[in-house]
Amino acid sequence: MDTPAQRWTTERFQLGEGLRWTPSGLVGVDILTGRLLALDTEAPVRPVRILAQLDGPLGAVAPVRGAAGRFIAATGPGVAVLTVGADHDLQVEWLARPEDGAPTAMRMNDGCCDPAGRFWAGSMAYDETEHAGALYRVDPDRGVHRVLEGYTVPNGPAFSPDGGLMYLADSADGRIDAYTVTADGDLDGGRVFARVSEGGPDGMQVDAAGHLWAAVWGASRVHRYTPDGRLDRVIALPAAQPTSVCVVGAETPHLFVSSAAIGLEPGGEHDGAVYRAAVDVPAPPAAAFGAPS
């Protein structure tokens, strides 16, 4: 096990998540407070800058191709495009609200784009009803499709550098699945890629060498897996509930890790903070929504 990571923020977030390296810098969310946050990658800054405040939960965002200050977002019961103005005014354009009226109260959770510019995001029940969650795909033409069902707490997804492989975790079941992604965005060949014996895999990212990084909720650590599913690196954290990961920097790459304080009463002083650790392989920035030119 590696040396514990450095604490990067003095602030503690309720449910910090969704770290992404974007043209707007390193962004993340505090899901249940609906805040879109910007983090400085060179020096810890307090307070963390708030880019936008939504009325409901905000699961994750991805940049919109060629549109500074615009993000596609997994938020509330669906997917929306957010436009953040220079003075932090916010416009919300809903693309779909597929979880409105579900038998149990649902919200969107984690999400990201693949290299082809499609946005993928999962949904989950507030009370974590078993198998109530689903995975949605938003195509560049803004069509929204329900593509997988039966997950309880879907997290990720994350994509191989060429976009041909998708990893999707079910945190409640302690597993990470892998799917082949066709050119049209269909999924094939689902299989279990890895399981964790303690806690549950949460937010994930694939680096430039094809390693899968996964935050492990409830286990105070981050795992890195080789492309064949072998655990080859562990980073320890003083926070009990790591939630998402993001590698930043090409010359001297660092892994940033968010965490959550929710459900920990009273919780430790480190729970809910963001952490940083040096790593040996860079990762591409977050893929953008929209067809590549």
Side-chain angles (χ1 to χ4, degrees):
M1 182 172 287
D2 294 340
T3 303
Q6 172 191 6
R7 182 167 174 170
W8 198 249
T9 62
T10 56
E11 290 175 79
R12 297 173 61 205
F13 303 109
Q14 184 181 17
L15 189 49
E17 254 279 17
L19 293 178
R20 303 287 185 267
W21 182 237
T22 76
S24 299
L26 180 62
V27 302
V29 301
D30 194 8
I31 292 180
L32 298 182
T33 66
R35 294 183 298 168
L36 177 61
L37 310 168
L39 291 87
D40 193 311
T41 60
E42 299 300 322
V45 174
R46 185 181 188 278
V48 170
R49 189 159 54 99
I50 300 173
L51 295 179
Q53 173 75 65
L54 278 72
D55 293 334
L58 176 60
V61 302
V64 173
R65 191 178 307 278
R70 298 187 78 195
F71 301 90
I72 188 167
T75 180
V79 181
V81 173
L82 312 179
T83 302
V84 181
D87 55 356
H88 301 291
D89 63 310
L90 176 66
Q91 297 179 16
V92 179
E93 178 189 359
W94 286 99
L95 302 186
R97 300 167 63 98
E99 295 293 0
D100 265 345
T104 185
M106 304 285 291
R107 68 167 176 86
M108 300 302 290
N109 196 39
D110 204 359
C112 74
C113 285
D114 66 16
R118 297 174 289 238
F119 183 63
W120 304 72
S123 67
M124 60 174 286
Y126 279 96
D127 65 1
E128 298 188 15
T129 297
E130 283 192 354
H131 311 306
L135 180 70
Y136 294 90
R137 187 190 75 230
V138 186
D139 292 335
D141 65 3
R142 298 191 170 198
V144 179
H145 309 275
R146 187 177 176 109
V147 293
L148 286 175
E149 297 180 335
Y151 283 74
T152 301
V153 182
N155 264 300
F159 293 88
S160 61
D162 65 0
L165 194 64
M166 182 190 78
Y167 300 98
L168 183 67
D170 193 334
S171 302
D173 193 45
R175 76 176 198 274
I176 301 170
D177 296 333
Y179 293 86
T180 299
V181 184
T182 71
D184 294 328
D186 295 325
L187 300 179
D188 193 13
R191 59 184 172 86
V192 176
F193 173 78
R195 287 190 179 275
V196 300
S197 58
E198 178 185 357
D202 205 314
M204 303 183 292
Q205 184 192 28
V206 179
D207 68 20
H211 302 113
L212 177 70
W213 286 99
V216 186
W217 173 283
S220 300
R221 59 182 180 259
V222 174
H223 288 178
R224 188 177 77 175
Y225 296 93
T226 61
D228 62 1
R230 177 176 57 87
L231 178 64
D232 84 329
R233 185 168 182 182
V234 176
I235 295 179
L237 296 169
Q241 298 175 157
T243 55
S244 74
V245 292
C246 184
V247 177
V248 174
E251 298 298 324
T252 55
H254 284 85
L255 178 76
F256 287 81
V257 185
S258 60
S259 68
I262 189 171
L264 301 174
E265 300 299 340
E269 63 175 309
H270 300 289
D271 295 308
V274 174
Y275 296 85
R276 188 180 82 153
V279 294
D280 56 348
V281 179
F289 177 66
S293 54

